[in-house]
Structure formats: C-alpha cells, structure tokens
Amino acid sequence: MPLKIEDYAMIGDGQSAALVGRNGSIDWLCWPRFDSDACFAALLGREEHGCWMIAPEGRVSASTRAYLGNTLVLATEFTTPAGTVRMVDFMPIRRGESSAIIRIVSGLAGTVAMRSELKLRFNYGSIAPWLSEKDGAIVGTVGPDLVAIRSDIALTCNKETISTCFDVHAGERISFTLQYGPSNGPLPPPLDVDRLLTDTKAWWLSWISQFDRTTEWPEFVKRSLIILKALTYFPTGGIVAAPTASLPERPGGSWNWDYRYCWLRDATFMMSAFLNAGFTNEARDWLQWLFRAVAGTPDRIRIAYRIDGGRRLEEWQADWLPGYGGARPVRIGNRAASQRQLDIFGELLDSSHLAEHSGLKPDEWELEIEQRLVLHVMKIWRQPDQGLWESRSAAKHYVYSKVMAWVAVDRFLTLANAKSNCPAELKKKLHKLRDEMHREICRRGFSQKRNSFVKHYHSCQLDASLLLLPLVGFLPVDDPRMAGTIAAIEAELTEGGLVRRYKASRFGREEGVFIACSCWLADCLVLQGRHDDARRLISRIIALANDVGLLSEEYHLRQGQLLGNMPQALSHLALVNSILGLSGPVLQRGAP
C-alpha cells in the first residue's frame, strides 16, 4: 500500500528536489536537475524502482516530523518500544556540479535498531548502476551519472542494494551522505556534515528573513515562499510547476501529467506573489527567464519550457512503472507544451505591466518582444485554443483565453502609453481592437439565461477560470454580469466550501477540488467586501495542507486526501496572493 501523497515532505538544493516519506523513505529524486531522469522512482512504483529507506527495524509506535524552523531541513522522530531516534534530512544549497543528500540519525532515548537500504535505479527505476568501492565510498555509475554513498558505519553491497543494520544509542549520531557527480569527473570528496547543516539552515533563514509584511497566517506564508524558492532552478530563475511527474488528478485514473517544467501561464501569479512578498530579485529573475525563453518568436511560443529555457518536452510513457496507486499511464514529458493557448500572451504582458508598476525597469530587448507579442495576438485572437486546463480534445473558443488575449492588448497599451517608441498608428489600432474584443467576449461568452459568463462561446457550462475575470480587470467585481458569475460558481462548483474546476462527472472517481481555484474565489470575495467569508475560505484551504505545510494541486473531499503533483507551485502562490490580498494593500493585476 503506497503512502498517501500528503505523507511526503520535500527537501531541495536549488536545482533538484527529493520527496521524503514519513516512513523514512526517499521515494522520488531526479538528478542532477528537476527535469532529469529519476534515480528514485518508488513514488510511481515499488521499492525496486528506486528508494532510500532509513527507519527503525521493529515496530514504530509513533512518528512526528517538522522542518527546523523556517528552513528546508526536515526532522523526523521515530518512537519505538526500545527508544526514540531523530533523523534529519536535507540537501545543501548547490555549489558547482556536485549535489548531495545528507541524512543524520541521532539517538534521543534508549537504543533503537535501525536499517538503511539504498536502491539506486536510474532511468525512472529501470536501470541499476554498476557498484564498486573506491576511497571509502560505494560508487554507482551508469552512463553520464555517478553517485557515491559514505557513512560513519560500514555499508554492504548485495545484489544492487546498499544496506546496513546498526544500533543507535541515546546521545549517539550517525551520518550518511549521498553525492551526485558526472561519471567522467572525479569522485566527489567527503563532506563536512556539521558545517553543511549549519550553513543550510543559515541560508534558508537568511533568505526568508526578507519577508517582513504583517499578515494573517505569517508562518504559512513563509512556508509557501520557501517552497516556491525551492522549486526555483537557481542558475536560470525558472520555476517548475512541481518537482514530480504523473501523480494522478483522479484516484487510479489516467490524468497523470509531468509538471517538472516551467509554465508561462504561472508568470503573473508568480510575479505578484514574489513582488507582494518583497522578493524583487526572484521576480526579476523569473521575468528575465520568461523573455529569454520566448526570445523573438511569438508565433512559435510554447506554453511550457524546460528549466533552462529548452523547448523539447516530448511525452512518452514509462510502461514498466505501475503508477501511483495503480494510476496509469506514467507519463514523462508533456505534449501539452506545444498546444495553442491564447492566455499565455496576456500572462506575459501582464507580468511586464506588474514589473514596471513595481519599479522593475525592463531591458530594451524586452520592449521589442512585447510589441512582437501583441502584433501576434492581433492575428490569432479569434482562433480557438485548448484553454487554461490544457484540454486534449477539440479546440474551442474558451472565454478565459479570449479575456487574456484582451489583457495582452490592454496591458501593452498601458505600457506603450509610458513609452515614446510605440508608433501612434499601432496604438490607435490596438485601442479599437481592445474595444472590439471586449464587446465580442461579453456578447458571445455571457449567457443571459444563466446570468453568467460560461466556459466557452455559446455553451451553458461554468468554469472556475471565470473567477479570474475581475482579478485581471476585465470587468469590475460589482458589474451585474460578474456578480452573477461569482454567485453561479459558488452555487454550482463549490463542495465543502471549496471550488472545482468544472462540474464533477463521476462520483467518487472524479478529480478533487482545485486548490488554486478556491483561492481565486477568496480573492473575489475580498473584492466584494466579504472579508469574513474570504477569511473562512482561506482557513479552510490552509487546513488542506499536510503536517509540514505542503499542498498538492487538488484535494479529494470524499477520500480526504491530496491529489496531483506535490508540492504544487500554483497552489502555494495562489494562497500567498490570497493571504496578502486579504491583508492589503498589494499590487493588483488589473490595477491601472
């Protein structure tokens, strides 16, 4: 029986991340980058697909875990009939090519019999490395990859597994280090475990100390910001949607996607979260990553990129993996990256607008890209697309997509009015187009019968993405059409006070409520002046987080568990924006 998704915590080093189960097993790790092949893939299969378990050998009567203050250093305590031990897991902030996981086992009371069992399996659990002993380490090599494990105690190789059994007495401490490096390079040298633990805690505490806003739920905001920073690829500033792949959105279903990439759609959400929290360097790095990825070819823009800005995300299936909880297929890569999704143009130009509004000055080449983007929107905005939720069925005229195309034109005009290098004739055309787009969306995307905007032109379906319309400034929240839309979503798409993306179709097997959508409803409630309702909703959302403050993409109310990739950047940044918005004042996306 696999662990629940909420049973995992994350550690990371600014270039990769690992998921640690509450049972002491690291079941997911991609090395050397977030989007590299996994060398621990038990999360999507079984132990033989790669994991590293350190845990008591006998019965565990209780276990607790927590991050050490506002850091990404995880401490887990196991209580057994014979005593209590604490295990500290962390990844030192990456310097150079070498990356490491450090695990420290300390005796707190009595004597506890422990076991460490390491199964390295590269290529998503399919290939065991060649193991050998060298300079006091056991070294695994396969292709370009080299991994070395060292410990204070003797380790044994047995049939592609590295293991040891040991007793930990009260006051005793035993450390393990697992290091990655290129196989054609030198063996990574031994690590100073104590110094790295001190340095890693200090690094995270120093970084989060920049957040000094007075707000409700400050500790949860800090934890979410730490998670967002940990999902950032430090060398480029790109931020992955999640560190995992193929965790299902439906229990046992086939909606299993790879999220270890950077989505342009998250651009403005990310910008506003970092800017409102006071992290201007992170916002600047993210914006520069965005424009480098888009380059000068808006007609060939993709909705998602690799963490270095690369474009190839070919999707394939790891058929040898049984999937999390039997959810198959296990997909690696994401072919949705090549879809047409009109909303990303609005997200990019809205990000530029937010950056300038906050005092971040763009480079000259960014100004040129902005103009190319809006010229491309002029040509394609009437075309159907796959929508915010990346539908793999026929393209439609999604209302949110059209609204974000309108946002692209609106924000460019705002930016252009502050600049002297935009041709007057172009601005005149864009003013006319903006009005035309607004009229068409209101005519074809609003249902008089429902008194609500709808999912796509001339449909009767609701969609939670419509909650974003007042947030991006398309219509004021007190416009009767917008008020009707919010009321309809509250009446038809909420369950247990939380919001679904769209109408549930299969009882018990449907996807969960969508955490970010619930945050968007809270934002609308704040705009409506319903602050107490918003506060109750935010409290409900925070209660969905696991014991160490992590959120996945969705929550299944009937099964009472998290669903989807974990932790999910969109969930955390949406909640940061909602909490800061309730505290106010903040940068608003639709503000003039």
Side-chain angles (χ1 to χ4, degrees), residues 378-424:
M378 292 175 68
K379 296 177 184 176
I380 68 166
W381 78 273
R382 289 188 183 278
Q383 297 178 13
D385 74 336
Q386 306 308 130
L388 173 68
W389 308 125
E390 300 173 3
S391 168
R392 298 198 175 194
S393 57
K396 294 181 174 65
H397 294 281
Y398 290 99
V399 170
Y400 178 72
S401 297
K402 302 298 185 186
V403 167
M404 291 309 294
W406 174 90
V407 166
V409 176
D410 178 76
R411 302 305 191 266
F412 180 82
L413 285 170
T414 303
L415 293 164
N417 287 336
K419 304 176 179 71
S420 59
N421 60 345
C422 181

Side-chain angles (χ1 to χ4, degrees), residues 118-147:
L118 171 65
K119 299 177 187 289
L120 287 163
R121 299 293 185 270
F122 289 83
N123 191 42
Y124 301 97
S126 67
I127 300 175
W130 172 259
L131 298 177
S132 60
E133 295 189 37
K134 182 178 180 181
D135 297 337
I138 295 179
V139 181
T141 54
V142 56
D145 304 305
L146 178 149
V147 175

Side-chain angles (χ1 to χ4, degrees), residues 53-65:
M53 170 75 80
I54 299 181
E57 284 212 89
R59 181 174 67 88
V60 174
S61 53
S63 68
T64 59
R65 60 182 180 167

Side-chain angles (χ1 to χ4, degrees), residues 165-432:
C165 295
F166 57 101
D167 291 336
V168 181
H169 308 285
E172 186 179 11
R173 197 177 75 152
I174 297 169
S175 64
F176 298 80
T177 63
L178 187 69
Q179 295 171 266
Y180 176 90
S183 60
N184 62 345
L187 182 69
L191 298 175
D192 184 336
V193 170
D194 292 330
R195 180 182 63 80
L196 287 172
L197 177 58
T198 300
D199 290 351
T200 302
K201 289 192 291 186
W203 192 96
W204 284 108
L205 290 170
S206 174
W207 183 82
I208 197 60
S209 69
Q210 299 173 75
F211 178 74
D212 58 1
R213 284 200 54 173
T214 300
T215 184
E216 298 183 58
W217 307 286
E219 293 309 309
F220 189 86
V221 173
K222 290 177 184 177
R223 176 53 51 196
S224 291
L225 289 169
I226 288 170
I227 293 302
L228 293 172
K229 182 63 174 178
L231 295 178
T232 303
Y233 184 63
F234 289 8
T236 65
I239 302 170
V240 297
T244 55
S246 277
L247 289 178
E249 295 176 8
R250 289 180 173 179
S254 60
W255 290 11
N256 317 316
W257 320 113
D258 190 346
Y259 276 11
R260 299 169 301 143
Y261 310 108
C262 304
W263 262 256
L264 298 191
R265 173 172 299 112
D266 294 348
T268 322
F269 301 110
M270 202 74 71
M271 286 289 294
S272 56
F274 278 137
L275 289 171
N276 285 323
F279 292 91
T280 54
N281 288 336
E282 282 70 19
R284 181 185 294 107
D285 290 347
W286 172 238
L287 187 65
Q288 291 178 346
W289 180 91
L290 289 168
F291 280 103
R292 287 197 305 270
V294 172
T297 55
D299 56 321
R300 297 180 185 176
I301 198 169
R302 297 171 73 84
I303 68 159
Y305 292 80
R306 300 189 78 92
I307 54 178
D308 57 3
R311 301 169 62 89
R312 298 204 173 275
L313 277 71
E314 285 83 358
E315 186 176 303
W316 55 279
Q317 297 178 11
D319 294 331
W320 57 88
L321 288 173
Y324 176 85
R328 301 188 71 186
V330 173
R331 292 185 174 91
I332 306 299
N334 201 312
R335 67 180 174 89
S338 60
Q339 289 180 348
R340 179 193 299 122
Q341 294 179 18
L342 295 175
D343 64 292
I344 59 175
F345 299 99
E347 298 292 358
L348 284 164
L349 286 158
D350 201 15
S351 294
S352 287
H353 169 256
L354 266 181
E356 291 212 16
H357 195 51
S358 68
L360 294 178
K361 297 302 179 185
D363 296 328
E364 287 301 318
W365 61 279
E366 292 175 14
L367 303 178
E368 175 64 25
I369 292 174
E370 289 167 3
Q371 184 162 313
R372 293 187 186 185
L373 286 169
V374 80
L375 289 172
H376 187 60
V377 170
M378 292 175 68
K379 296 177 184 176
I380 68 166
W381 78 273
R382 289 188 183 278
Q383 297 178 13
D385 74 336
Q386 306 308 130
L388 173 68
W389 308 125
E390 300 173 3
S391 168
R392 298 198 175 194
S393 57
K396 294 181 174 65
H397 294 281
Y398 290 99
V399 170
Y400 178 72
S401 297
K402 302 298 185 186
V403 167
M404 291 309 294
W406 174 90
V407 166
V409 176
D410 178 76
R411 302 305 191 266
F412 180 82
L413 285 170
T414 303
L415 293 164
N417 287 336
K419 304 176 179 71
S420 59
N421 60 345
C422 181
E425 186 62 29
L426 174 59
K427 286 199 278 189
K428 183 178 179 180
K429 288 182 180 178
L430 289 172
H431 275 286
K432 182 179 178 181

Side-chain angles (χ1 to χ4, degrees), residues 80-97:
T80 75
T84 303
V85 295
R86 173 187 292 141
M87 182 160 63
V88 171
D89 293 316
F90 69 100
M91 297 177 73
I93 299 300
R94 182 92 61 96
R95 303 244 186 340
E97 290 184 308

